[in-house]
Amino acid sequence: MDCDMEEMSADNVKTSPADHLQQWSQWQLLDSILPTGGFAHSSGLEAAVQARFVVGPEDLKFYIIQVLENTGSLLLPYVYCASKFPDVESWFKLDRLLEATLTNEVSRKASASQGSALLRVAASIYVEIPSLKQMRDTYLGSGAASFHHAPIFGLICGLLGFDSSTSQRAYMFITMRDVVSAATRLNLIGPLGASVLQHQIAHVAEQMTKKWMDRPVEEASQTSPLVDIVQGCHGYLFSRLFCS
């Protein structure tokens, strides 16, 4: 018991109150209550359901895994580079490059919508990081930047003190969380079943994160073209619940 108390005391000495406060800010970035509009998008799941690509639990699980694969191969390099070099100049270059890379109009608009919303929210919340407000005031509405979600997310992670590995895992987590949430609202699965499914897929998400982690943007690629094609069909749906 005494040894345990000594170990706990040592841990408390190593971590400063400022570090504790920073962790609260980091957790808030991943909180689903953050009003960034992520739950308005289904990553093409709604179109996949209407196209009958997803008709049951196994189809849903397979689709989510393919979305994670695509996210890892295409977007993790942008999260990695933005978190590694969290400055405005590096972010701007990454944003312009991703704008040129995304050929799917639906996913491009969804990425820009979520990214600009994330910047607005982050600039309002994290007032201790003045560069976020400067970015918002300088670029938002100017047309000079597209504010794609992956570079913005990586930049904010870097400014909040996330290491690059945690930033990339966090991005994969929120992607999985949002698609599973979309499945719940599409009545493909219940809330408890969604939580069970998310836990089951977690080890696959970790494998994919390790597979695509720490890659430069020059290696970013599309590995699940069917997901991209299905998402591109979302704008043609007669009736739809989500924006993408």
Side-chain angles (χ1 to χ4, degrees), residues 185-206:
R185 282 174 290 155
L186 288 168
N187 292 321
L188 297 174
I189 195 169
L192 178 58
S195 298
V196 172
L197 178 61
Q198 183 171 328
H199 182 70
Q200 291 174 345
I201 297 176
H203 75 282
V204 180
E206 174 62 16

Side-chain angles (χ1 to χ4, degrees), residues 28-194:
Q28 187 174 12
L29 180 64
L30 307 181
D31 196 334
S32 60
I33 202 174
L34 204 69
T36 60
F39 290 147
H41 303 273
S42 71
S43 296
L45 178 60
E46 185 173 23
V49 171
Q50 294 201 29
R52 307 295 293 172
F53 284 114
V54 176
V55 294
E58 287 304 313
D59 294 332
L60 174 61
K61 185 176 182 179
F62 178 78
Y63 185 84
I64 295 173
I65 290 173
Q66 293 306 303
V67 169
L68 290 172
E69 181 82 40
N70 228 24
T71 300
S73 64
L74 181 62
L75 298 177
L76 273 197
Y78 290 89
V79 176
Y80 167 64
C81 292
S83 63
K84 198 78 171 175
F85 306 101
D87 59 84
V88 176
E89 183 179 355
S90 299
W91 159 78
F92 185 76
K93 291 179 180 178
L94 292 170
D95 183 73
R96 301 313 299 160
L97 181 59
L98 187 53
E99 171 69 14
T101 301
L102 294 175
T103 56
N104 181 333
E105 182 181 4
V106 173
S107 62
R108 187 172 67 248
K109 287 182 177 180
S111 174
S113 173
Q114 292 179 75
S116 58
L118 178 58
L119 178 62
R120 288 190 189 96
V121 171
S124 299
I125 294 174
Y126 304 119
V127 293
E128 68 275 17
I129 306 176
S131 58
L132 291 175
K133 184 178 184 301
Q134 293 170 3
M135 282 177 59
R136 182 190 63 185
D137 295 343
T138 303
Y139 291 101
L140 206 58
S142 68
S146 300
F147 296 97
H148 285 293
H149 189 250
I152 284 286
F153 183 87
L155 171 72
I156 295 172
C157 282
L159 292 173
L160 287 177
F162 280 94
D163 59 64
S164 60
S165 296
T166 304
S167 300
Q168 292 169 88
R169 281 191 176 87
Y171 196 75
M172 292 290 276
F173 169 77
I174 64 171
T175 299
M176 177 173 63
R177 177 201 68 191
D178 291 354
V179 182
V180 171
S181 174
T184 304
R185 282 174 290 155
L186 288 168
N187 292 321
L188 297 174
I189 195 169
L192 178 58

Side-chain angles (χ1 to χ4, degrees), residues 201-215:
I201 297 176
H203 75 282
V204 180
E206 174 62 16
Q207 292 173 0
M208 291 183 179
T209 303
K210 289 180 177 179
K211 177 181 177 181
W212 299 109
M213 183 178 282
D214 298 347
R215 293 175 181 256

